[in-house]
Amino acid sequence: MNAVQIRSAERALSVGTWLIVAGAMLYSILTVTPLAAAHTPDRWAWTAPILPLVVDAAVVIVVRLDAVLARLGGHGGRWPIGLRWMTGCMTLALNVADSALKNDLVGVAVHAVAPLLLIVTAETGLAYRRAITAAVLELEAKQQAEREARERAAIERREDAARRAREEREHAAALAREQREHEARMVREQAEREAAVRREEREREQARERAEREERERQEREREQLRAERERREREAAERAERERRERVEQERRERAALLSGGPVADKLPEDDARAIVAAAQAEGLSVRQAAELCGWSVGWVSTRYAELRGPVNGVPVDFAGTAR
């Protein structure tokens, strides 16, 4: 069964149900209104049709909402069931009440047909609608599964086509890549050969420069060694000269100390000895009088010797013995 047939069945069920409901409502109004009027005060007799209308309105609500819930696949719970049976029982009771009060069994049976048909139709219609809804859901699920299967098949076909196209592109790209790699390898090998030639030339040039540099360094080391040797000899000579100078100074200091250690004298010393004492006194910073006391000569003669010692005699320095050096 397809969707068109299901909708046609639903329309037939809906039209039949509402025809039965309309007939039952009309028959109920015509049957219950006299009963309600007979049991209503005369001044309120015009309200007699209200009771069957209210009961039938409840029946319409129950049938309509049950149809909607059944179509949606829902369930209203216990209250809709109670309302449905309560309205059905009320309709049945109101329709057969007049005949039952008159003990008319045939009337009871006749007037019970429409309410019972309404009750059974409501229950049966609800069951039909639930079955149709389940069938529709099953059909829709089947159709959805078929659509999904078709979509999956289409997706798989597209994926297969895309995969084949991708494989073809990858194959073409691999061939192109291999060609490029071959060309690049040839270029690289040529470049490596040229680089090897340049490297060999550079190594020979570096070896030559290294040999020249080592020769220059060797010559420089030799020059440095000669210069160091010369500086060592000069330093040793300077140290030797300085040592000799210190020794000479020390010797002269000892000689001066020896000359000045004699103390004052009463008689004149020989001139050479006097000159040596004066020279030593002048070098030690003694006064003229102290020098005169040490040598026994006059202050004037000692002053003259001091003057000679302070300046060179004819451009030649005088030693402690008073002789020119």
Side-chain angles (χ1 to χ4, degrees), residues 2-314:
N2 55 28
V4 176
Q5 293 172 336
I6 292 174
R7 285 195 295 271
S8 177
E10 285 182 339
R11 282 196 300 273
L13 177 62
S14 178
V15 170
T17 300
W18 287 112
L19 285 176
I20 293 172
V21 170
M25 288 177 60
L26 179 60
Y27 189 80
S28 178
I29 291 172
L30 296 176
T31 302
V32 176
T33 299
L35 178 63
H39 293 81
T40 302
D42 293 338
R43 60 176 183 172
W44 297 105
W46 60 273
T47 62
I50 295 176
L51 179 60
L53 285 176
V54 170
V55 175
D56 293 338
V59 173
V60 170
I61 292 173
V62 169
V63 172
R64 178 58 181 167
L65 292 181
D66 283 344
V68 174
L69 288 176
R71 187 67 182 88
L72 295 176
H75 193 278
R78 292 175 296 179
W79 285 105
I81 297 174
L83 179 61
R84 186 168 61 250
W85 280 96
M86 185 180 70
T87 54
C89 292
M90 288 180 178
T91 302
L92 177 63
L94 290 173
N95 277 272
V96 302
D98 188 51
S99 298
L101 292 175
K102 295 177 182 179
N103 294 320
D104 185 3
L105 297 180
V106 175
V108 171
V110 171
H111 288 92
V113 171
L116 291 175
L117 183 62
L118 179 61
I119 294 172
V120 174
T121 300
E123 294 295 331
T124 305
L126 179 59
Y128 278 144
R129 286 190 178 91
R130 288 176 177 172
I132 291 173
T133 300
V136 170
L137 293 176
E138 182 179 358
L139 179 61
E140 290 178 351
K142 182 178 179 181
Q143 292 175 349
Q144 180 66 22
E146 292 176 354
R147 285 195 300 270
E148 291 177 354
R150 289 194 297 270
E151 291 176 356
R152 283 196 300 271
I155 292 173
E156 290 177 356
R157 288 194 298 271
R158 288 195 298 271
E159 290 179 351
D160 291 338
R163 184 174 60 256
R164 288 193 296 270
R166 183 172 63 254
E167 291 175 353
E168 293 176 356
R169 290 195 301 271
E170 290 176 353
H171 180 66
L175 294 177
R177 184 170 59 255
E178 291 178 356
Q179 180 66 24
R180 290 195 300 272
E181 290 177 353
H182 176 70
E183 295 175 355
R185 184 169 58 253
M186 297 298 293
V187 172
R188 185 169 59 253
E189 291 176 354
Q190 179 65 24
E192 289 176 353
R193 288 192 294 270
E194 295 176 354
V197 173
R198 290 195 298 271
R199 185 169 56 254
E200 292 177 357
E201 294 178 352
R202 185 168 59 253
E203 289 176 354
R204 288 194 296 271
E205 181 67 21
Q206 290 177 353
R208 184 182 60 79
E209 293 177 354
R210 186 167 53 253
E212 294 177 354
R213 184 172 63 254
E214 291 176 354
E215 179 64 21
R216 289 194 301 270
E217 291 177 352
R218 186 185 61 79
Q219 294 176 358
E220 182 66 24
R221 285 195 300 274
E222 291 177 354
R223 286 194 296 271
E224 288 291 334
Q225 290 175 357
L226 293 174
R227 184 167 55 253
E229 183 65 23
R230 186 172 59 254
E231 291 177 353
R232 185 183 62 78
R233 290 196 299 269
E234 291 176 354
R235 186 170 58 254
E236 289 177 353
E239 291 176 353
R240 189 169 53 254
E242 178 65 20
R243 187 169 57 253
E244 291 175 354
R245 186 188 65 78
R246 287 197 300 270
E247 290 176 355
R248 188 171 58 252
V249 170
E250 182 64 23
Q251 181 64 28
E252 290 176 353
R253 188 186 62 77
R254 287 195 298 269
E255 291 176 357
R256 288 194 302 272
L259 290 173
L260 297 176
S261 63
V265 297
D267 297 328
K268 286 183 178 181
L269 295 177
E271 183 176 354
D272 292 338
D273 294 339
R275 283 180 177 273
I277 291 171
V278 170
Q282 193 272 340
E284 293 295 331
L286 299 178
S287 64
V288 174
R289 183 172 297 279
Q290 288 175 335
E293 291 177 353
L294 292 173
C295 67
W297 288 69
S298 65
V299 174
W301 183 84
V302 173
S303 297
T304 302
R305 301 290 78 75
Y306 265 43
E308 292 174 354
L309 292 171
R310 280 194 294 269
V313 180
N314 296 325

